[in-house]
């Protein structure tokens, strides 16, 4: 008698069909290579931040503050006191941020997931620029939504008029990545104003500003001022990039109080661990030192872009801590050449290579390697 196969537990089709998130290549154990594949800050944490982590380690037998109250208050105070003259926070803040407007989570990806979970019903559509952040298709699908991708312009910028035209009665949210990862350009204020005028006020517009501290385009979106004028805007930011805390995972959203309460309700309990909370607080307290490091990264980015353009490269505007090479079908082979030469980069097969800004020596080596890519 043939044994009958036991039925299997079904998996949601939207989950079984999820694309895999591909992290940046890691340096093999024992190998010598520059890791320019993950948009990490090339500097280690500040000494005061390391000290805060060490001090907090004594209490890891206890649960962290579930709502990260001290960190939330520090973020709100930082944003409320930001000024246009501060290159780390390039917006004037007419919208007075309070702790009730801030929700923290386990990195900006988790925060974005909670934002979408707060507003999406199964089958709702989310308009997304593409190519953009690799996690977007994943978080949209997990939240039960349907992603509507809108191609970038020929110069690798978000096509906001086309994104506005893609909004339908089924659209519940739009994701705006600025600067756009992995291509680099930032959305400008006039573009955002026209876009928000064209989008219904009951459609959530998530402005993903993971790289905002590196932006030097004077026309860039003023996030808090935009939130002040439009109640359907939510900002998402992170401590992973400029603050150099990628290994601890701290992100946050800034929203109107009603939306913030909803996002908080969907958030994972104790989502930001004890060490991460103290490290982020210490980072905000050491902003002067941080500003120096951010400026160093921006200077190295501009040096890299300038030298590449001197050598004939036509590259998109780089406003993050990375540079985009639109190599098309040559992408995978070029990435392999870079790895063999000792530079790990992030390939997007058939599209291009993203190279993070690292040490000056890494830039010099990249210049040698990329000479053959043209």
């Amino acid at each position: 008698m043939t044994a009958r196969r036991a039925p299997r537990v079904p998996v949601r089709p939207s989950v079984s069909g999820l694309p895999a998130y591909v992290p940046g290549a890691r340096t093999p154990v024992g190998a010598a290579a520059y890791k320019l594949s993950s948009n990490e800050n090339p500097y280690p944490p500040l000494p005061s931040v390391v000290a805060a982590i060490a001090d907090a380690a004594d209490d890891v037998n206890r649960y962290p503050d579930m709502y990260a109250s001290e960190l939330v208050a520090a973020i709100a105070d930082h944003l409320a006191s930001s000024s246009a003259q501060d290159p780390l926070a390039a917006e004037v803040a007419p919208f007075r941020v309070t702790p009730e407007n801030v929700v923290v989570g386990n990195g900006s990806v988790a925060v974005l997931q909670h934002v979408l979970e707060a507003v999406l019903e199964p089958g709702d559509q989310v308009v997304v620029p593409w190519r953009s952040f690799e996690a977007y298709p994943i978080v949209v699908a997990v939240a039960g939504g349907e992603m509507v991708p809108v191609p970038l312009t020929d110069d690798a910028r978000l096509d906001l008029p086309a994104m506005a035209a893609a909004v339908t009665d089924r659209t519940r949210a739009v994701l705006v990545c600025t600067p756009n990862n992995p291509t680099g350009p930032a959305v400008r204020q006039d573009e955002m104003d026209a876009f928000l005028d064209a989008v219904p006020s009951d459609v959530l517009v998530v402005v993903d500003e993971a790289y905002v501290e590196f932006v030097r385009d004077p026309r860039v979106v003023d996030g808090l001022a935009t939130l002040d004028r439009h109640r359907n805007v939510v900002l998402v930011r992170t401590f992973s990039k400029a603050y150099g805390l990628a290994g601890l995972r701290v992100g946050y959203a800034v929203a109107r109080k009603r939306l913030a309460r909803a996002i908080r309700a969907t958030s994972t309990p104790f989502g930001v661990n004890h060490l991460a909370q103290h490290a982020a607080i210490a980072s905000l307290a050491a902003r002067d030192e941080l500003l120096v490091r951010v400026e160093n990264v921006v200077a190295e980015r501009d040096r890299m872009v300038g030298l590449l353009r001197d050598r004939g490269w036509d590259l998109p505007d780089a406003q993050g801590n990375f540079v985009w090479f639109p190599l098309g079908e040559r992408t995978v082979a070029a990435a392999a050449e870079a790895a063999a030469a000792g530079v790990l980069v992030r390939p997007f097969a058939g599209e291009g290579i993203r190279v993070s800004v690292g040490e000056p020596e890494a830039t010099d080596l990249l210049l040698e390697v990329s000479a053959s890519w043209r």
Side-chain angles (χ1 to χ4, degrees), residues 19-341:
Y21 185 96
V22 180
R26 301 183 67 86
T27 306
V29 176
Y34 291 104
K35 186 173 184 285
L36 306 181
S37 54
S38 298
N39 288 352
E40 296 157 333
N41 194 316
Y43 296 99
L46 295 167
S48 59
V49 176
V50 174
I53 295 171
D55 289 343
D58 287 340
D59 298 319
V60 294
N61 58 309
R62 306 295 183 186
Y63 283 106
D65 174 0
M66 189 167 91
Y67 295 114
S69 303
E70 188 178 354
L71 172 58
V72 164
I75 293 170
D77 183 65
H78 155 63
L79 294 176
S81 62
S82 298
S83 71
Q85 287 71 43
D86 183 351
L88 190 60
E91 65 272 10
V92 180
F95 175 71
R96 179 74 182 183
V97 179
T98 72
E100 292 179 276
N101 301 115
V102 179
V103 185
V104 297
N106 185 35
S108 61
V109 175
V111 172
L112 177 58
Q113 179 77 57
H114 301 321
V115 170
L116 294 179
E117 289 169 340
V119 300
L120 293 186
E121 295 287 356
D124 282 346
Q125 292 182 343
V126 181
V127 174
V128 177
W130 202 252
R131 161 71 60 181
S132 194
F133 183 31
E134 191 171 8
Y136 288 166
I138 300 172
V139 296
V140 169
V142 171
E146 175 187 324
M147 188 175 101
V148 179
V150 176
L152 304 181
T153 63
D154 291 341
D155 54 354
R157 301 183 61 84
L158 270 60
D159 191 340
L160 290 181
M163 291 174 64
V167 172
T168 70
D169 291 342
R170 293 180 57 197
T171 306
R172 187 55 46 222
V174 181
L175 306 185
V176 177
C177 189
T178 175
N180 187 50
N181 175 22
T183 62
V187 173
R188 293 165 182 156
Q189 190 66 58
D190 60 338
E191 297 172 322
M192 179 63 82
D193 290 342
F195 173 72
L196 288 168
D197 287 344
V199 172
S201 60
D202 61 346
V203 172
L204 183 69
V205 177
V206 182
V207 183
D208 184 348
E209 296 185 309
Y211 302 91
V212 66
E213 294 88 353
F214 302 104
V215 178
R216 295 297 178 268
D217 184 343
R219 298 166 291 177
V220 71
V221 167
D222 181 333
L224 292 178
T226 302
L227 176 58
D228 181 52
R229 295 192 298 268
H230 299 274
R231 305 181 71 86
N232 59 328
V233 168
V234 170
L235 309 180
V236 175
R237 295 184 178 181
T238 184
F239 283 84
S240 293
K241 311 304 180 185
Y243 291 85
L245 299 183
L248 287 178
R249 316 302 303 128
V250 188
Y252 62 95
V254 186
R256 295 284 177 165
K257 294 177 182 179
R258 183 182 65 86
L259 279 173
R261 285 195 297 271
I263 299 165
R264 200 173 291 115
T266 64
S267 298
T268 305
F270 308 106
V272 181
N273 72 68
H274 183 65
L275 302 183
Q277 290 185 34
H278 283 266
I281 293 168
S283 295
L284 287 172
R287 283 169 39 77
D288 289 344
E289 293 177 85
L290 178 68
L291 279 169
V292 174
R293 292 184 168 191
V294 170
E295 288 301 330
N296 288 341
V297 172
V298 170
E300 186 60 22
R301 175 195 72 195
D302 292 347
R303 184 177 82 92
M304 179 192 298
V305 171
L307 290 171
L308 287 166
R309 287 179 174 159
D310 287 345
R311 299 182 182 200
W313 283 97
D314 182 14
L315 301 172
D317 185 27
Q319 291 292 324
N321 66 336
F322 54 88
V323 176
W324 174 251
F325 291 82
L327 295 176
E329 296 304 320
R330 295 172 292 157
T331 293
V332 173
E337 292 174 13

